[in-house]
Amino acid sequence: MTKQADFDLAAAHRFFAADCFNRAWELMDLEQRTSEQERLMVALNQASIFHWQQRPDCEPRHLSVGYWQASRIQALLDHADDALRQAEVCLALSADLTPFYLGYANEAMARAQSLANRLLPAAEYKQRALELAAQITDEGDRKLLIDDLATL
């Protein structure tokens, strides 16, 4: 039986979805991480996705961003298979989204494929992401994607 919360559960999910995502991002930005920080980074990302899934306003674009972050984290940790799995989920969630989200899903796949030493698929996903970047109307969003693709 589920116990009724003594606080605003929806507000808690809103808070923790964003807070966990941002805290994971802060760890991603570190030049070096301890093993504990690496584990925390993964846990924060997964908690963020969980809290998004509990929100009534959760849409595929929100989960697309969460799984993109999950794939990038696994790539940072040099876990090619996990990066690929997370990128596949991101790509599936992004299939009907705008070029920004679909472009980033392809960026995640390119990065994961490259990490797995699958250079031809990596190049194909990167090219698709570049094509999608050209369709992004917001200059700042387009630049973000192009800059991330340049790190591949």
Side-chain angles (χ1 to χ4, degrees):
M1 174 162 53
T2 302
K3 182 181 177 194
Q4 184 67 24
D6 295 334
F7 56 88
D8 185 344
L9 188 56
H13 287 306
R14 270 193 311 278
F15 174 81
F16 286 113
D19 184 64
C20 291
F21 180 89
N22 292 334
R23 289 176 58 202
W25 197 277
E26 289 170 5
L27 292 169
M28 291 168 65
D29 282 342
L30 295 177
E31 290 291 321
Q32 292 184 313
R33 287 170 293 280
T34 65
S35 296
E36 178 60 29
Q37 288 172 318
E38 290 177 350
R39 288 189 296 276
L40 180 59
M41 185 172 56
V42 171
L44 286 165
N45 165 260
Q46 294 301 297
S48 175
I49 291 170
F50 166 77
H51 286 290
W52 263 112
Q53 290 172 326
Q54 305 312 302
R55 293 177 55 167
D57 62 339
C58 183
E59 297 178 2
R61 66 188 169 98
H62 301 121
L63 296 177
S64 170
V65 172
Y67 282 98
W68 171 86
Q69 186 186 56
S71 181
R72 177 62 73 91
I73 287 169
Q74 294 302 326
L76 286 171
L77 299 177
D78 205 27
H79 300 159
D81 289 341
D82 290 332
L84 280 166
R85 277 192 289 280
Q86 302 294 347
E88 287 168 358
V89 174
C90 179
L91 192 59
L93 288 164
S94 304
D96 296 324
L97 299 179
T98 65
F100 176 80
Y101 296 99
L102 189 53
Y104 261 105
N106 278 273
E107 182 271 344
M109 283 298 293
R111 188 173 303 281
Q113 293 285 354
S114 180
L115 185 61
N117 205 29
R118 299 177 184 160
L119 302 184
L120 182 57
E124 291 169 351
Y125 282 111
K126 182 178 180 179
Q127 180 58 40
R128 178 69 178 133
L130 286 167
E131 292 166 4
L132 288 159
Q135 298 173 34
I136 298 172
T137 56
D138 182 274
E139 186 175 326
D141 287 348
R142 184 174 54 251
K143 183 177 179 346
L144 280 174
L145 179 55
I146 290 170
D147 288 351
D148 274 337
L149 289 166
T151 67
L152 293 175

